[in-house]
Amino acid sequence: MGQYRMERLNGQLRDEIAKLLLHGDIKDPRVSTFLSINRVEISTDLCYAKVFVSTFLSDAQLEKGVEGLNSAAGFVQSSIAKKLRIRQFPKLTFVVDSAMKDGFKMVRKLSELEGASVGQPSGDGGSGPDGGDSERGGAQ
């Protein structure tokens, strides 16, 4: 199957699962509308699909949500199979994706480091803290 078609099918699955979450069609109490579907990876033979789920809720709530989605996978598969016209619908497996949360933490740490380094002299031989040129004596 062509690469472009696989990418398009991945996007369609992601959008359809996200719609089911957003509309509250999945009745499992563990599944929150705050869960987001980051990406879908379908195997080349169209038998299996990994659905990566993330959220900014706690890790425990994310784990429970993924468990709820895995138990409702049959419902999700049948609901989407009615809309998409493909010969074999893949078996969905929902997986925790912590990349978004990890990236957010990394950006926050970098911002903290940048904020801490702004208060310190740079040591690049430029102007001193008093505004004068410290290497030439500063007094003129």
Side-chain angles (χ1 to χ4, degrees):
M1 183 178 293
Q3 183 65 27
Y4 177 72
R5 184 165 185 259
M6 289 296 288
E7 289 177 15
R8 199 175 66 206
L9 187 57
N10 287 335
Q12 282 181 324
L13 275 178
R14 186 194 64 214
D15 293 344
E16 291 298 327
I17 295 169
K19 285 179 188 175
L20 287 175
L21 282 173
L22 186 64
H23 295 293
D25 293 337
I26 302 171
K27 301 298 183 194
D28 194 309
R30 298 173 287 183
V31 177
S32 170
T33 57
F34 291 109
L35 296 175
S36 63
I37 307 300
N38 288 349
R39 68 183 191 275
V40 176
E41 291 179 0
I42 301 175
S43 63
T44 55
D45 60 354
L46 297 178
C47 288
Y48 300 98
K50 278 187 185 178
V51 182
F52 294 88
V53 182
S54 69
T55 186
F56 279 111
L57 298 174
S58 70
D59 291 337
Q61 288 176 320
L62 177 60
E63 290 287 337
K64 286 181 181 179
V66 168
E67 288 174 9
L69 285 170
N70 277 321
S71 68
F75 169 75
V76 174
Q77 287 171 204
S78 65
S79 297
I80 298 173
K82 292 174 186 174
K83 296 178 184 177
L84 298 181
R85 298 288 181 215
I86 56 176
R87 185 175 63 216
Q88 179 179 1
F89 197 85
K91 181 183 184 313
L92 299 178
T93 304
F94 294 90
V95 181
V96 172
D97 186 15
S98 63
M100 189 167 68
K101 194 177 278 190
D102 292 343
F104 183 73
K105 288 178 184 176
M106 185 63 67
V107 167
R108 189 171 13 158
K109 286 180 183 179
L110 288 172
S111 297
E112 289 173 3
L113 287 174
E114 186 178 70
S117 67
V118 170
Q120 299 175 357
S122 62
D124 61 357
S127 298
D130 62 346
D133 195 357
S134 60
E135 286 191 13
R136 288 191 260 153
Q140 295 184 10

